[in-house]
Amino acid sequence: MYALFDDAGKFHAGRVMSEAESSLQVELDSGKRVKVKAANVMLRFEQPAPAQLMAQAQALAGEIDLDLAWEFAPEGEFGFADLAREYFDASAGAERQAAALLRLFEAPHYFRRLGRGLFRKAPEDTVKAALAAIERKQQVAAQIVAWADELVAGRCPAPVGEQLYRILFRPDKNGPEYKAVVEAARRAQKAPLDLLTAAGAIASPYQFHWQRFLFEQFPKGTGFGAVPPAASAARDELPLAAVRAFSIDDSATTEIDDALSVQGLGSGEVVFGIHIAAPGLAIAPDSALDRIARERLSTVYMPGWKITMLPDDVVQAWTLAEGRDCPALSLYLTLDEATLEVRAHQTRLERVPVAANLRHDRLDALVTEATLGGEAPAEYPFAPELAFAFRLARALKARREQVRGKPEVFNRPDYSFKLEGAGVGEREPTGEETVAIGTRRRGAPLDLIVAEAMILANSTWGGWLAELGVPAIYRSQASLLPGIKVRMGTKPLPHAGMGVAQYAWATSPLRRYVDLANQWQLIACVRHGRTAALAAPFKPKDAALFSVISAFDTTYAAYNGFQQGIERYWTLRWLQQNGVAELEAAVMKDGLVRAETLPLVFRVPGTEALARGSRVRARITGIDLLTLELHAALAAQLAAPAASPGGPAGDGGGDTADDSGDEADPGAALTLAIALDDALQPAPGGPEGTGPAPAAG
């Protein structure tokens, strides 16, 4: 006696060795014996042998026309044997009964399974819908094969090209485009990115990086659409300040957030003014403009282009442009002219006459320590004011360094990128422009003046907000120990890297949302004083404030990562455009080296055993603009590491404000870069340039 049984949807046949009330022991052709529940036995038969029966049944099952079987099937419940007798003949034997069972089981769109070998015909409309779905699935499968064939042949089908970035970075694994790429990659034995590159799906390496960033961060595009006008009534009601303010930025800067003023020189008591653009007067919390700014959270900078946080009309209305009386949030510090001690401070909302927009690229060579100290003629505007501001900046820096417990050492320059070619600054770069890479020494007088002024404003305003009990967004760092990172929060905690008691970003409201949010809180403080906590938009423990912190951290990191990556692209393009074959570099660790004259960290095999700081010459063997990799070989070792003022041999002065991931003194060299980010647009490289990457501190 033989039995055909169901084992979890698979059918087997074998010899019955023994039988109990509810189970059987069946020996398969392989010799394996299995215990089978009696309820799972579909068919008992004497002949033919199990293997022969299964072979014949499978062959016969393939010949059964499902449409015809559906027509012949009885109405209501029926067994597979019933269908076999209706379809074949009244004496259908074991082979035909088994064939009917197999065919019924594999066609659920025609016949519904009821268990124990019983079935029911599916309604006609259900069958038609199922057949249509099967037809579509077959068409999609055929399309996947056709697209895969094209990709293997080196051609990219249009639908795959349109889904390129989704396929690579946020795939729908059930999508036919994704499946076609996977199938083609399997057949061609290539990585998907290599396959798509060979098929021409990627127009250019630059477009690959740019479009990927837009796909991830600006899926709806970079336009603002219809933007409601910002409120303007507030500006006319503000009092006019009795100052002549000046800003310090690069020539292409349009988002001028800050300006300075100096009054009372020679009187023994000087009033130092820090004036910050006040878009918070025009943009109300939860307004349409606020929603735009909160969605973007920051301006994005890159060589030759930028994506602003606010619409251009708003920026132009509230930027601190020369020749205008500009609405501003002003911090006035009364200082002893001799000792530079702060005697008092006051914050006002007012219109500030901006007498001049001074420009780094025009004045850096003129405004030197010698001219500021009176050792050489100072042939530039606002020379007395700049001389005082520089003296104050050095004093402020020294005080912070005393709190930090160690000096800030900057032994590497900031790099700027300038693109040259038709349409630069008027359209998105193509990646084929000629790039020029320039440097600006960190800690240069104008940089130091602005940096220290912004640190002073952010720390002073942070303390004032805390004094009035008004919540704000602070940045803090518990210590300078390795691994202690800068955090964002709502508590006014010390910032060890800065050497200040508290630090609240508030000096870049045109281009950073955290600063705009803090400006709303400061405006409430100016208007309401001791009762400001009741009137401020954000209340203590406000969930909205924590939401801003969380979103800003993530988005700002993504923007900075893109900026660093695209600057690396342009650095590699500079190497290509100038035919550079070798680079001199300093050894870092684990085979990584840092170029001495470019913002570039790369791997050089053979340097793993060299001491940190050792100088080497690396021969360039290849550049991949798609992966942003520089391939190099060790050409020569030039010198052993020299002692650095900032620490032991090869310590790099504790500079972490770059793309190297280099660990050392956290916060030391970040301080100036952070403050410059608060105050300056990045150095020239397009509409606003790129300059120092926005720092994390």
Side-chain angles (χ1 to χ4, degrees), residues 201-219:
I202 299 172
S204 71
Y206 183 87
Q207 285 301 312
F208 172 77
H209 299 299
W210 173 235
Q211 294 300 326
R212 175 186 178 181
F213 174 71
L214 294 181
F215 170 76
E216 293 177 339
Q217 300 298 327
F218 292 87

Side-chain angles (χ1 to χ4, degrees), residues 70 109 112 121-133:
W70 187 84
H109 48 294
R112 294 176 177 174
K121 290 170 59 172
E124 184 176 358
D125 57 346
T126 301
V127 172
K128 290 180 178 179
L131 292 176

